[in-house]
Amino acid sequence: MKLVCDGLDLSDAVLKVSKALSVKAANPVLEGIKITAKEDTLTLLATDMELTIEKKIKADVLMEGETVVVGKYFVDFAKKLFIIHNGYPQK
């Protein structure tokens, strides 16, 4: 999977879907965010089996694919993108 997208759009989408992440799940995949890159869309999906949130953003997809990433690490990355984009000082 290879793509180019706006960092602020990505950050916003990750923070929104992360609300559905399971904190201490019996099934580790419920702690992850599924990322799918297809055609001109990047789709992020998270679920705790009761609540599912999906967010789609525009992206220039160079190579299609899908994967699941650890949610808490991806959320930390997204927060840093937001901070860098908006010029807030890092702690």
Side-chain angles (χ1 to χ4, degrees), residues 1-6 37-42 57-64:
M1 177 169 49
K2 191 173 186 179
L3 61 103
V4 177
C5 68
D6 182 74
K38 189 172 180 182
E39 297 173 2
D40 63 346
T41 304
L42 179 66
I57 61 173
K58 287 188 175 191
D60 182 15
V61 178
L62 306 172
M63 187 183 324
E64 294 184 354

Side-chain angles (χ1 to χ4, degrees), residues 1 32-37 43-45 65-70:
M1 177 169 49
I33 297 174
K34 181 181 178 188
I35 306 169
T36 305
T43 305
L44 304 171
L45 182 130
E66 61 184 3
T67 189
V68 176
V69 296
V70 179

Side-chain angles (χ1 to χ4, degrees), residues 9-60:
D9 289 344
L10 177 63
S11 176
D12 180 58
V14 171
L15 295 175
K16 284 184 179 170
V17 300
S18 70
K19 305 227 184 305
L21 286 174
S22 183
V23 180
K24 298 238 179 195
N27 187 346
V29 77
L30 297 178
E31 296 175 9
I33 297 174
K34 181 181 178 188
I35 306 169
T36 305
K38 189 172 180 182
E39 297 173 2
D40 63 346
T41 304
L42 179 66
T43 305
L44 304 171
L45 182 130
T47 186
D48 66 1
M49 298 301 286
E50 291 181 17
L51 172 68
T52 300
I53 301 176
E54 180 181 76
K55 180 78 175 156
K56 295 183 179 190
I57 61 173
K58 287 188 175 191
D60 182 15

Side-chain angles (χ1 to χ4, degrees), residues 63-83:
M63 187 183 324
E64 294 184 354
E66 61 184 3
T67 189
V68 176
V69 296
V70 179
K72 68 178 184 175
Y73 298 133
F74 202 32
V75 169
D76 289 344
F77 172 75
K79 287 179 182 176
K80 288 179 183 176
L81 273 178
F82 181 80
I83 289 169

